[in-house]
Amino acid sequence: MPWMRANVDAPFGARPYGPVLRVAAYNKDASAAAIYPGDVLIMETDGGLAVSTVTATNIIGVAAEYSAASTAKTDFLVYDHPDQLFMIQDDSDTTNMDEASVGLNVDLITTTGSTTTLQSLHEIDSSSAATTAGLAMKVLYLHPVEARSFATAAGTMRKWVVRINAHLYGGFEVTGV
């Protein structure tokens, strides 16, 4: 897994961290765009899956497999447990994330996956790290591969362990679809 090296800019989406708590099958309708393993997903009002947007509040989980665009699939696998932890890279484009980022909320950067590797390119937006409620993810801690080496300047990406804040199954104040 070349993306699991410290201090390397190799986005890979969100990957389960620790034990996988649940993988469930969902409907991906034919109108959906391509979905890549590691893409953060939402549930649409028709019950189908779609790739999350930056401000989504109905996140269902993270894609466990690939599905081409315009392909219907009734058993598309998703890591959907609201307590599942994930590892994900920050983008560190204009702002670095450091030890003060632990416990903050962050938004996603939801770019289209790689058509070469068929892997997600989702990242967390380092410049969005704040106490703001409603952001997609909560930063729990630096991933162990980073050996507690926090970034000291922009342009130095790190891998983080996060949980989904805006999970559809996760709490009292999450809006339904």
Side-chain angles (χ1 to χ4, degrees):
M1 296 179 279
W3 41 267
M4 275 310 298
R5 293 176 295 161
N7 307 328
V8 173
D9 186 14
F12 53 88
R15 302 294 176 158
Y17 180 78
V20 172
L21 301 178
R22 181 173 60 218
V23 179
Y26 287 86
N27 181 46
K28 178 189 174 271
D29 51 42
S31 65
I35 297 177
Y36 298 85
D39 279 355
V40 177
L41 303 175
I42 61 169
M43 182 178 286
E44 297 179 308
T45 55
D46 67 358
L49 298 176
V51 176
S52 179
T53 60
V54 173
T55 58
T57 58
N58 52 340
I59 297 173
I60 194 69
V62 172
E65 62 178 311
Y66 171 76
S67 181
S70 303
T71 304
K73 188 165 174 44
T74 58
D75 58 352
F76 188 82
L77 298 177
V78 177
Y79 302 108
D80 74 340
H81 197 284
D83 295 328
Q84 181 69 56
L85 301 182
F86 295 95
M87 58 182 162
I88 191 169
Q89 176 179 296
D90 70 67
D91 69 332
S92 192
D93 60 349
T94 59
T95 307
N96 65 298
M97 289 179 62
D98 56 22
E99 196 162 10
S101 302
V102 173
L104 295 179
N105 297 324
V106 289
D107 247 335
L108 292 166
I109 296 174
T110 55
T111 56
T112 301
S114 168
T115 57
T116 303
T117 64
L118 299 182
Q119 297 297 311
S120 177
L121 296 177
H122 286 193
E123 297 177 282
I124 52 176
D125 184 0
S126 60
S127 58
S128 72
T131 57
T132 308
L135 298 179
M137 304 272 185
K138 177 167 293 294
V139 177
L140 300 179
Y141 47 90
L142 192 64
H143 190 281
V145 74
E146 301 292 356
R148 295 209 37 88
S149 171
F150 291 94
T152 56
T156 50
M157 300 76 190
R158 295 294 189 265
K159 278 80 175 162
W160 296 88
V161 176
V162 299
R163 69 175 285 279
I164 296 172
N165 275 340
H167 200 290
L168 186 61
Y169 300 150
F172 308 77
E173 299 179 27
V174 178
T175 305
V177 291

